[in-house]
Amino acid sequence: MAQEPDALSKRQDYGSVALEDGVLSADPLSQISAWVEEADQAGVYEPNAMVLSTIDPDGEPSSRTVLLRGIDDVGLYFYTDYGSRKGLALLAHPSVSVVFPWYTQHRQIKIFGHAAPTDAEVSDAYFDSRPRGSQVSAWASDQSHPISSREALEEKVHEIESRFHGEERLPRPEKWGGFVIEPQRIEFWAGRTSRLHDRIRFEKTSEGWVSCRLQP
Ligand SMILES: Cc1cc2nc3c(=O)[nH]c(=O)nc-3n(C[C@H](O)[C@H](O)[C@H](O)COP(=O)(O)O)c2cc1C
């Protein structure tokens, strides 16, 4: 039988900055930006990492980490391979759940929303900003699909490098691009002592964002 690590019985107490009524911005997308920035300032590694959960075409749920690469009034932007497991899931079921887990900050943001592929120009601009090595990988890797060996993968990389030899920038492969997640609900969580945490939930309505406090 697997031995349980001691970590499973540890109990941390949380004492983060309180979310008093009215302390959060009335615009939850700006508030997400502010918390990402604060996590960065505090030295959190990959402060823009978010756990994205999707529903496969057959209904199976699936989660993985992606990096937030943009945020505006429309929503949150990330980039991936449209033929990957998440890409195919999103094209079949656009509903997503997203979590930013900033454990050292005693903070979490949870989002429910819908994802749609970004316009080609948005994907082109981001692809163009990536280092050449990442551009080559996007061409070489059919993300989430099996491959016989590491050598076979490196062989695909060599093929792409010869194909684009002498070209400083690579064009974006059509199978690769962005998604924008348009949030419907956004919950800000801050850990407090004795598990009496603060939770403020924003809901998008026809009158704009409406917020309420949830019990911990
Ligand atoms: C910190 C971190 C950041 C990541 N960022 C991305 C990303 O922005 N886009 C992406 O496609 N995969 C990213 N990945 C890899 C994904 O977690 C995942 O392995 C990959 O996208 C395949 O997922 P899928 O098979 O569910 O489609 C990241 C992984 C980690 C640990």
Side-chain angles (χ1 to χ4, degrees), residues 46 49 62 64-67 79-81 84-86 143-144:
E46 304 285 49
S62 179
R64 80 291 290 153
T65 307
V66 293
L67 295 178
Y79 296 86
T80 195
D81 187 322
S84 66
R85 182 173 178 178
K86 79 182 90 45
Q143 195 180 46
S144 312

Side-chain angles (χ1 to χ4, degrees), residues 130-176:
R130 302 183 90 205
R132 195 174 192 283
S134 305
Q135 294 182 335
V136 170
S137 295
W139 274 94
S141 165
D142 291 316
Q143 195 180 46
S144 312
H145 294 267
I147 191 161
S148 58
S149 63
R150 178 83 197 181
E151 289 70 38
L153 179 63
E154 285 168 7
E155 183 52 39
K156 285 175 83 182
V157 170
H158 289 313
E159 279 168 22
I160 296 299
E161 278 174 343
S162 341
R163 178 169 161 190
F164 292 106
H165 182 68
E167 292 182 40
E168 202 190 318
R169 311 297 305 164
L170 274 62
R172 175 177 63 88
E174 253 181 51
K175 66 173 183 113
W176 193 99

Side-chain angles (χ1 to χ4, degrees), residues 23-60:
V23 77
L24 295 177
S25 164
D27 170 11
L29 284 155
S30 303
Q31 189 65 52
I32 295 172
S33 291
W35 276 22
V36 172
E37 188 58 33
E38 285 172 37
D40 189 34
Q41 296 293 319
V44 171
Y45 187 71
E46 304 285 49
N48 52 335
M50 53 185 187
V51 178
L52 169 78
S53 298
T54 53
I55 306 162
D56 284 345
D58 64 1
E60 192 174 310

